[in-house]
Amino acid sequence: MLSTEQLQQFEQDGFIVLPDFVERARCEELQAHVDALLVGLDGSGEACVFSTTDPSHGANEWFLGSADKVRWFFEDGAVDEDGNLTRAIPEAVNKLGHAMHDLDPVFDSFSRTPELAEVAGDVGFVDPKLLQSMYIFKQPGIGGEVICHCDHTFLWTEPQSVIGFWLAIEDATLNNGAMWALPGGHRQSAKSRFRLVDADDRSKGTTTDVFDEVPYDTDGLVPLEAEAGTLILLHGTLPHYSAANASNKSRHAYTLHVIEGTANYLSDNWLQRPPDFPLRGF
């Protein structure tokens, strides 16, 4: 799937943008399926807010127990001080996660294609495992900022192996929260690690180990605008970011995080599947 030049670019920059990877009609079908999933969801109960600027979800069982579930998380701007939704659920959801690719037939077929499998092989996977899926809404007016981070911080393997497969379901522009990335930034080590406090008792919540307090060089970030159907590959230690969506247009995207099956996925990673729900490949 990938040319020698594209692979060299991925090695040099830590990311690669592949337009027209998925037909726009397929993206529209997935979006329609998600719309149907949201019908009838209850805004009350255990569902929590997901925000990278206020990561209190890291202590919430709704979040920590989502490795083998399809759960929804709300935008911070869609919930008032009393915890009540201020808008209808389809306009309030931040994302769905984190096992749609294994539990939902439509997501499964969208995630497991010969083309994606071939790209995974091209970038060096020997035994790729689909660890996590997220459908991200980036809602109009309230779609939250995603602070500059690398995926290895949250999905730690030894050696590092995670790669993000980010697919634009809608057009991602500078106006509605397109992603930005730091070319070559993947050659630096992760600055932190988000993990469980106690691998044997996730009720104790999460913590972040800080290895380098100097922030990422956000001045060097470049925008990765992407039309619907574009695939962007993100190296696990690549710093990337997206601004809040202040526009009147959403920016739906679908992300798969893939790890190498031969790598050691640490037992204190926040995302832990039960033994009867093993990871699968493409």
Side-chain angles (χ1 to χ4, degrees):
M1 285 295 288
L2 300 182
S3 67
T4 300
E5 291 76 14
Q6 288 172 323
L7 288 170
Q8 288 174 342
Q9 182 185 352
F10 184 66
E11 183 177 351
Q12 172 183 307
D13 293 337
F15 64 87
I16 188 169
V17 180
L18 304 172
D20 302 318
F21 190 85
V22 176
E23 291 182 0
R24 187 177 286 262
R26 285 274 285 153
C27 295
E28 292 171 351
E29 289 170 3
L30 186 67
Q31 188 173 10
H33 177 65
V34 169
D35 290 342
L37 291 179
L38 296 180
V39 174
L41 286 186
D42 185 357
S44 61
E46 299 178 87
C48 67
V49 166
F50 181 88
S51 170
T52 65
T53 57
D54 178 20
S56 57
H57 56 268
N60 193 295
E61 175 58 24
W62 184 262
F63 173 74
L64 294 178
S66 61
D68 59 342
K69 306 287 192 305
V70 177
R71 287 183 169 166
W72 57 97
F73 303 87
F74 294 122
E75 290 282 4
D76 189 20
V79 180
D80 65 20
E81 294 180 355
D82 298 320
N84 300 312
L85 290 181
T86 59
R87 57 188 66 203
I89 285 180
E91 289 78 46
V93 177
N94 169 286
K95 70 173 182 176
L96 298 178
H98 291 98
M100 291 89 69
H101 60 290
D102 281 333
L103 296 175
D104 184 288
V106 175
F107 274 101
D108 176 78
S109 64
F110 193 88
S111 307
R112 291 183 165 93
T113 66
E115 294 80 10
L116 285 171
E118 190 169 345
V119 168
D122 287 347
V123 296
F125 281 105
V126 176
D127 182 23
K129 299 296 186 185
L130 279 60
L131 174 63
Q132 172 185 258
S133 53
M134 297 187 294
Y135 189 95
I136 304 165
F137 293 81
K138 207 76 165 178
Q139 298 285 5
I142 62 168
E145 172 190 8
V146 176
I147 61 173
C148 196
H149 70 286
C150 75
D151 294 330
H152 184 43
T153 286
F154 300 95
L155 303 169
W156 198 277
T157 66
E158 294 180 350
Q160 196 295 118
S161 68
V162 65
I163 290 180
F165 289 64
W166 187 97
L167 281 152
I169 303 302
E170 295 181 313
D171 295 345
T173 69
L174 294 179
N175 292 326
N176 70 351
M179 191 158 43
W180 296 64
L182 183 64
H186 64 300
R187 287 190 285 273
Q188 58 187 302
S189 300
K191 290 180 178 290
S192 62
R193 181 175 176 232
F194 179 78
R195 62 173 178 83
L196 295 172
V197 171
D198 186 340
D200 297 320
D201 184 2
R202 72 182 181 211
S203 68
K204 293 182 180 179
T206 56
T207 187
T208 299
D209 300 325
V210 177
F211 310 131
D212 184 352
E213 295 184 357
V214 178
Y216 288 114
D217 175 21
T218 54
D219 289 340
L221 293 168
V222 298
L224 305 182
E225 292 188 278
E227 293 185 355
T230 298
L231 172 65
I232 301 178
L233 292 184
L234 302 167
H235 188 280
T237 53
L238 177 76
H240 55 285
Y241 155 89
S242 66
N245 182 9
S247 78
N248 61 1
K249 181 174 176 54
S250 60
R251 191 226 67 184
H252 290 202
Y254 178 57
T255 300
L256 280 169
H257 286 116
V258 181
I259 61 172
E260 178 57 59
T262 59
N264 179 26
Y265 184 75
L266 273 60
S267 62
D268 61 350
N269 277 319
W270 74 270
L271 188 74
Q272 295 291 333
R273 290 190 168 203
D276 61 351
F277 193 61
L279 296 177
R280 296 191 291 122
F282 287 101

